[in-house]
């Protein structure tokens, strides 16, 4: 029986060097091939033109290259681009290119579907789930970098892990992908331009702090009142607010990096004074800023964007307490590319 060939991109540079030595070649060949696989994004062994034909055939006999394929690309009237990305096993995830005057941001997925159950998010309703491999995360970023160069004449400037999935439930692969994105043999991007967003998996926030990561942290808070948070994001019953607060204090102590809270204000859910006061209080624990995100309706109207007045009440209270607050308008709504809308509708 033929055993399935291994994805060569699951090997580290060291492992690749060792492979060549074990096969009677020079370790240096490993570096060459590694560069082809990552910074040059080769899809086929035959593209590796500075490697001999014999070596390429030997690689072909032993490995496959599991590259992603951008199946479908949609462009929004505001310039946002959404990629439907097909994985080697046929599953699909989505990633988004968000251009502004000065930046291009890639919003990438970390899982197929999501491990969590936020009631307001379309991705949470997808049943199927698996973690993305480091290469599958890296490829989404590389694809958007190429699109940014093609459509906007500039390289990608920022990355947010705010696509499908919970990055901290796929932490080892997200870390491996970020290693490659930031390494000179990959995309050479600064970790300061990368933000990992979590719904609040506190024990993993602590782990990131222990690992002294250099990227930024965003937390999808949405409520600083325990009962409300538990109701709209049921999984948070396992990650109560005092634990989250403690994890964030630990994060700040170790990294000295401010936390961003993502927050949607919904009519009749968190648009009252009690919710505002609780958020202000929560924000005082750790240096932070608040992004008030516009709600993107996903279906039956259980959740509705709060009034302008309630949003202004939040802004006023936060500013009075010297907390930085920004209102984030949705991008790419017309192509279902906005926050919480990624759900493979076309797949
Ligand atoms: N699981 C991680 C990464 C996804 S980020 C996290 O939750 O942080 C996606 C962001 O969009 C999160 O802040 C999420 O709370 C928010 N979101 C989800 N559904 C939304 C919707 N319908 N409208 C606006 N924002 C939404």
């Amino acid at each position: 029986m033929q055993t399935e060939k291994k994805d060569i991109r699951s090997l580290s540079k060291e492992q690749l060097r060792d492979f060549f030595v074990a096969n009677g070649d020079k370790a240096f060949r490993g570096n060459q091939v590694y560069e082809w696989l990552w910074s040059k994004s080769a899809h086929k062994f035959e593209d590796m033109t500075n490697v001999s034909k014999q070596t390429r055939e030997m690689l072909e006999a032993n490995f496959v290259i599991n590259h992603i394929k951008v199946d479908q690309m949609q462009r929004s009237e505001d310039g946002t681009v959404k990629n439907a990305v097909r994985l080697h096993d046929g599953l699909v995830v989505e990633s988004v290119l968000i251009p502004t005057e000065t930046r291009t941001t890639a919003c990438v997925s970390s899982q197929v579907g999501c491990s969590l159950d936020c009631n307001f998010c379309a991705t949470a309703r997808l049943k199927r789930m698996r973690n993305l491999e480091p290469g599958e995360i890296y490829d989404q970023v590389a694809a958007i970098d190429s699109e940014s160069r093609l459509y906007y004449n500039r390289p990608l400037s920022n990355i947010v892990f705010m696509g499908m999935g919970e990055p901290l439930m796929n932490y080892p692969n997200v870390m491996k992908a970020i290693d490659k994105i930031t390494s000179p043999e990959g995309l050479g991007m600064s970790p300061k331009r990368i933000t990992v967003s979590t719904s609040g998996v506190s024990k993993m926030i602590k782990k990131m702090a222990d690992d002294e990561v250099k990227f930024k942290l965003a937390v999808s808070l949405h409520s600083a009142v325990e009962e409300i948070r538990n109701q709209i994001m049921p999984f948070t019953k396992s990650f109560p607010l005092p634990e989250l607060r403690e994890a964030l204090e630990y994060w700040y102590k170790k990294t000295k990096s401010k936390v961003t809270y993502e927050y949607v204000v919904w009519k009749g859910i968190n648009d009252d004074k009690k919710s505002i006061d609780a958020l202000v209080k929560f924000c005082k624990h750790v240096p932070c800023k608040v992004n008030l995100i516009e709600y993107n309706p996903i279906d039956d109207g259980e959740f509705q964007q709060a009034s302008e007045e309630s949003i202004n009440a939040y802004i006023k209270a936060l500013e009075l307490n010297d907390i930085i607050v920004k209102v984030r308008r949705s991008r790419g709504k017309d192509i279902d590319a906005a926050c919480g809308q990624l759900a493979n509708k076309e797949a």
Side-chain angles (χ1 to χ4, degrees):
M1 195 182 81
Q2 199 185 349
T3 50
E4 215 170 281
K5 287 191 228 170
K6 195 171 174 162
D7 179 13
I8 189 166
R9 302 204 310 164
S10 64
L11 301 188
S12 66
K13 191 161 77 178
E14 272 319 302
Q15 288 169 323
L16 209 49
R17 285 164 60 91
D18 292 347
F19 171 81
F20 280 103
V21 174
N23 281 279
D25 203 334
K26 301 210 169 59
F28 157 76
R29 195 77 60 222
N31 298 15
Q32 276 181 321
V33 170
Y34 193 82
E35 204 184 326
W36 275 111
L37 291 173
W38 298 102
S39 68
K40 295 184 189 160
S41 269
H43 288 221
K44 293 186 243 118
F45 292 111
E46 62 190 65
D47 293 343
M48 304 182 176
T49 46
N50 62 353
V51 177
S52 75
K53 186 151 188 280
Q54 198 191 350
T55 306
R56 281 185 264 147
E57 281 170 4
M58 188 267 282
L59 290 174
E60 189 86 56
N62 284 282
F63 299 106
V64 289
I65 305 176
N66 281 342
H67 224 283
I68 63 156
K69 189 167 153 278
V70 177
D71 244 13
Q72 195 199 21
M73 215 192 77
Q74 286 173 277
R75 273 187 94 172
S76 153
E77 51 201 25
D78 68 16
T80 302
V81 175
K82 182 169 82 170
N83 291 334
V85 167
R86 193 162 296 270
L87 310 170
H88 67 94
D89 56 1
L91 294 176
V92 176
V93 291
E94 294 175 335
S95 32
V96 185
L97 176 164
I98 308 154
T100 65
E101 292 264 305
T102 50
R103 308 170 162 195
T104 307
T105 301
C107 175
V108 298
S109 295
S110 53
Q111 298 182 309
V112 187
C114 188
S115 316
L116 305 180
D117 54 6
C118 305
N119 290 335
F120 46 82
C121 181
T123 308
R125 307 205 169 161
L126 297 176
K127 284 193 189 65
R128 225 169 334 156
M129 206 283 281
R130 77 161 165 87
N131 284 335
L132 291 187
E133 295 297 325
E136 293 170 332
I137 298 172
Y138 177 92
D139 289 348
Q140 294 176 63
V141 177
I144 291 181
D145 183 42
S146 310
E147 288 167 359
S148 177
R149 288 167 199 268
L150 184 68
Y151 296 119
Y152 297 98
N153 281 317
R154 60 188 189 208
L156 181 64
S157 58
N158 298 75
I159 303 170
V160 293
F161 280 79
M162 297 186 186
M164 298 169 131
E166 167 54 46
L168 298 196
M169 299 293 240
N170 185 17
Y171 183 69
N173 290 354
V174 166
M175 287 295 275
K176 281 186 198 155
I178 292 178
D179 267 358
K180 295 220 161 60
I181 292 166
T182 52
S183 102
E185 281 141 333
L187 295 171
M189 286 188 66
S190 160
K192 295 200 178 68
R193 293 180 169 273
I194 301 175
T195 302
V196 170
S197 178
T198 174
S199 308
V201 186
S202 13
K203 59 175 194 274
M204 295 310 294
I205 294 175
K206 279 191 168 167
K207 165 95 176 92
M208 284 202 300
D210 282 335
D211 289 346
E212 296 181 13
V213 299
K214 297 286 181 284
F215 48 77
K216 294 189 182 146
L217 173 65
V219 176
S220 302
L221 191 61
H222 302 309
S223 178
V225 178
E226 195 81 85
E227 309 82 71
I228 301 178
R229 197 166 141 83
N230 288 172
Q231 188 200 331
I232 60 178
M233 304 162 81
F235 80 91
T236 60
K237 288 181 199 124
S238 319
F239 300 101
L241 284 166
E243 225 176 73
L244 177 62
R245 196 186 84 196
E246 196 210 313
L248 293 170
E249 284 167 350
Y250 188 75
W251 161 268
Y252 188 76
K253 202 170 87 199
K254 287 251 174 172
T255 65
K256 294 284 172 287
S257 169
K258 251 189 210 167
V259 179
T260 299
Y261 296 124
E262 296 155 276
Y263 201 100
V264 179
V265 188
W266 289 285
K267 199 178 280 175
I269 293 180
N270 58 356
D271 58 351
D272 56 334
K273 188 168 179 314
K274 184 178 164 205
S275 291
I276 299 179
D277 291 346
L279 176 63
V280 168
K281 196 167 163 222
F282 195 86
C283 285
K284 292 197 169 156
H285 295 295
V286 174
C288 65
K289 63 176 185 181
V290 175
N291 281 347
L292 293 178
I293 317 176
E294 195 182 334
Y295 178 57
N296 304 305
I298 55 164
D299 61 5
D300 45 18
E302 185 194 344
F303 289 88
Q304 282 166 30
Q305 167 85 30
S307 66
E308 198 77 18
E309 216 182 331
S310 325
I311 294 169
N312 287 339
Y314 263 96
I315 298 174
K316 199 169 151 203
L318 290 164
E319 285 180 343
L320 256 176
N321 285 277
D322 291 324
I323 298 156
I324 303 166
V325 51
K326 292 213 172 85
V327 177
R328 294 272 180 221
R329 296 252 160 264
S330 289
R331 303 289 305 269
K333 252 189 185 174
D334 55 330
I335 54 166
D336 280 336
C339 295
Q341 292 186 318
L342 301 184
N344 294 345
K345 268 198 201 160
E346 318 289 328

